[in-house]
Amino acid sequence: MKLFVDTGSLKEIETVAALGIIDGVTTNPSLLAKEPGDFRQNLKKICDIVKGPVSGEVTATDFAGMMREGHDIAAIDDHMVVKVPLTRDGIKACKALSGEGLRVNVTLCFSAAQALLAAKAGATYISPFVGRLDDVAMNGMDLIREIVQIYDNYEFTTQVLVASCRHPIHVVESAKMGADVATCPPAVIDQLFNHPLTNIGLEKFLKDWEKAQAVKV
Ligand code: E4P
């Protein structure tokens, strides 16, 4: 499973990318709005750091505007993926942009029916938001299971990009279900490393080693 980082912060992306385990980046207007500077230049810098798929989202809500902004985003760098919302105009734009050979990430997906539409429109990625479903007392991971099954049934090539991941269990469950990508905020990626037994074990190894060295001297 690929691991993307979900942030618009250049500093965070540099730190996480240095770990060598990041395959790409997702951004959205809320995340990019937090980063100072021109968003196009920032997206270009992100592409240069990660050298993998970087999603940049359109803010237009009509088909013509989405097409215009989609072309603008795609022109930033070959690594750019155009992100469109799962609306009627978004699905139309997905079909048209995908037809031109551009990669499209359809975002704000909250149902299997919506995911089916995105696949039919040739999306490269579908982004179901698991955390936001959990927030309204629906099980976000149930949606991932449904989408993976539907895409497998018909051999759709659209990749399931699990978004709005809030904790490591979302990531592990995504991998168990066969999702293609999980995108996580840097804090969740950091949590993936943690296990108390690793810390305790390392501490003991080093203490034992030091003790042995002291005896030898
Ligand atoms: C995905 O591409 C979105 O940017 C993101 O995962 C949304 O996460 P949130 O629900 O934590 O804002």
Side-chain angles (χ1 to χ4, degrees), residues 3 48 104 128:
L3 201 53
D48 291 342
V104 180

Side-chain angles (χ1 to χ4, degrees), residues 5 7 23 41 45 49 58 61 73 83 86 95 114 116 120 142 149 153 155-156 169 177 206-208 210 212-213:
V5 60
T7 178
D23 302 291
Q41 285 177 14
K45 285 180 197 159
I49 298 167
V58 301
T61 53
I73 288 166
K83 209 170 178 191
L86 211 155
K95 178 80 180 176
Q114 291 179 321
L116 180 59
K120 292 191 68 68
D142 284 349
Q149 185 191 338
N153 284 349
E155 297 180 357
F156 283 121
I169 294 291
M177 288 176 191
L206 296 180
K207 262 198 196 132
D208 290 346
E210 267 169 40
Q213 300 310 305

Side-chain angles (χ1 to χ4, degrees), residues 7-8 27-36 39 42-43 46 56-57:
T7 178
T27 68
N28 62 39
S30 307
L31 294 171
L32 282 183
K34 291 186 203 159
E35 185 69 3
F39 84 92
N42 289 343
L43 284 171
I46 294 172
E57 189 165 339

Side-chain angles (χ1 to χ4, degrees), residues 83-149:
K83 209 170 178 191
V84 300
L86 211 155
T87 58
R88 286 168 180 76
D89 284 50
I91 288 294
K92 266 175 75 179
C94 173
K95 178 80 180 176
L97 293 166
S98 301
E100 293 175 16
L102 299 179
R103 287 176 299 169
V104 180
N105 175 355
V106 179
T107 189
L108 291 169
C109 170
F110 294 96
S111 78
Q114 291 179 321
L116 180 59
L117 298 176
K120 292 191 68 68
T124 302
Y125 302 101
I126 182 69
S127 289
F129 279 37
V130 293
R132 293 193 194 185
L133 280 171
D134 291 354
D135 290 345
V136 295
M138 295 180 71
N139 189 333
M141 294 315 297
D142 284 349
L143 175 59
I144 303 305
R145 192 178 294 105
E146 283 184 307
I147 298 173
V148 168
Q149 185 191 338

